[in-house]
Amino acid sequence: MMKRFFMLFTLAILVWGCNDDEDYDVVLNSSGNLLVKLVDGEGAPVADGQLMLHLPGSAESLLEVLESDEAGNVDLGTLRSGEYLIDWYVNHNGLLYTPGTYLGVQVLAGEAVEKQINIESDIHLGTLEITIINADTEELVNGAQLLIVQDAFGFDLDMPFEDIMKRGMQTTTNGEGQVSLKLPTAERFYIYYLDGESNNYLGRQNVSPGDVREVEYEITVN
């Protein structure tokens, strides 16, 4: 009798123990959080930037595109732990551009990772000086309106010109028929002359870090 009681008592303990285990399930945390802050060369937040998240080893494997808030923050939320690539585009003086640099980040399980990106570091900038000449008189053209557009993510020469204008930066030549622009390197820029009636494509240029590129274009002034 005692032996039977002891067996029943042991079985009850086992049943109770199995049911109690349900309250203590072990959860392995395989995700972490990633927050990126975009700042300019003086450390001020960049509120109109775009950040792209890619799979490791492939800049073409785009996972997500997010915009920075007023504080320059881009909260990518919870991601599976591992390596990722991020790159960024900003609107600088009306010009959508990227420095053409990718940043590798490591998301750690159970941790919040924060990264700060300086998107206007001088290391990524060069100078493009454009001179506009009247093709008929060979005189310098004062007040010529130009449009500068970067060959960046989403740009297509065949897209409607009104969309191209939204992506570009408009500038006007000075009394010497020139404009001088600080531009990010590693990317190509398309240059248009806007005469109010038509859009004249002038050419394509790029700049090298810290260098000055001087170019001349002749236009027909109506």
Side-chain angles (χ1 to χ4, degrees), residues 3-213:
K3 183 177 180 180
R4 183 177 181 185
F5 175 79
F6 178 77
M7 291 177 64
L8 291 174
F9 179 74
T10 303
L11 180 62
I13 292 177
L14 291 174
V15 171
W16 176 81
C18 291
N19 290 336
D20 191 58
D21 282 347
E22 295 179 0
D23 296 330
Y24 296 93
D25 288 341
V26 177
V27 178
L28 296 177
N29 192 340
S30 62
S31 301
N33 291 83
L34 178 61
L35 177 68
V36 177
K37 184 177 183 67
L38 300 180
V39 299
D40 64 17
E42 298 179 351
V46 176
D48 55 0
Q50 289 185 347
L51 185 142
M52 272 132 291
L53 181 71
H54 303 268
L55 290 174
S58 176
E60 301 300 325
S61 300
L62 182 63
L63 296 177
E64 194 168 10
V65 179
L66 294 172
E67 295 185 358
S68 56
D69 59 21
E70 293 183 355
N73 293 322
V74 182
D75 189 353
L76 289 123
T78 302
L79 302 172
R80 293 186 63 85
S81 59
E83 295 183 357
Y84 295 88
L85 285 177
I86 56 177
D87 65 336
W88 52 96
Y89 292 87
V90 293
N91 193 314
H92 176 62
N93 294 331
L95 175 68
L96 181 68
Y97 80 85
T98 173
T101 301
Y102 293 93
L103 175 66
V105 294
Q106 180 78 34
V107 176
L108 304 176
E111 296 188 17
V113 178
E114 296 185 7
K115 292 287 184 180
Q116 180 168 295
I117 297 175
N118 182 343
I119 51 83
E120 287 188 285
S121 173
D122 288 342
I123 193 174
H124 298 306
L125 297 179
T127 301
L128 178 64
E129 292 187 352
I130 303 172
T131 301
I132 301 299
I133 301 173
N134 189 322
D136 297 323
T137 65
E138 296 187 355
E139 295 179 347
L140 300 174
V141 181
N142 178 21
Q145 189 174 14
L146 304 179
L147 177 70
I148 315 297
V149 186
Q150 185 188 19
D151 186 9
F153 178 80
F155 175 76
D156 187 344
L157 280 172
D158 295 327
M159 66 196 309
F161 195 77
E162 55 267 26
D163 293 335
I164 292 179
M165 291 189 66
K166 292 177 183 178
R167 300 177 62 91
M169 173 180 62
Q170 295 189 38
T171 184
T172 304
T173 57
N174 59 21
E176 298 179 348
Q178 294 181 335
V179 294
S180 180
L181 305 169
K182 282 283 190 180
L183 298 174
T185 62
E187 296 292 338
R188 297 173 297 182
F189 295 89
Y190 294 94
I191 303 166
Y192 297 86
Y193 164 56
L194 309 177
D195 64 5
E197 297 180 358
S198 60
N199 310 307
N200 306 281
Y201 172 68
L202 298 180
R204 185 180 66 187
Q205 299 290 337
N206 63 353
V207 294
S208 300
D211 290 340
V212 177
R213 177 180 289 257

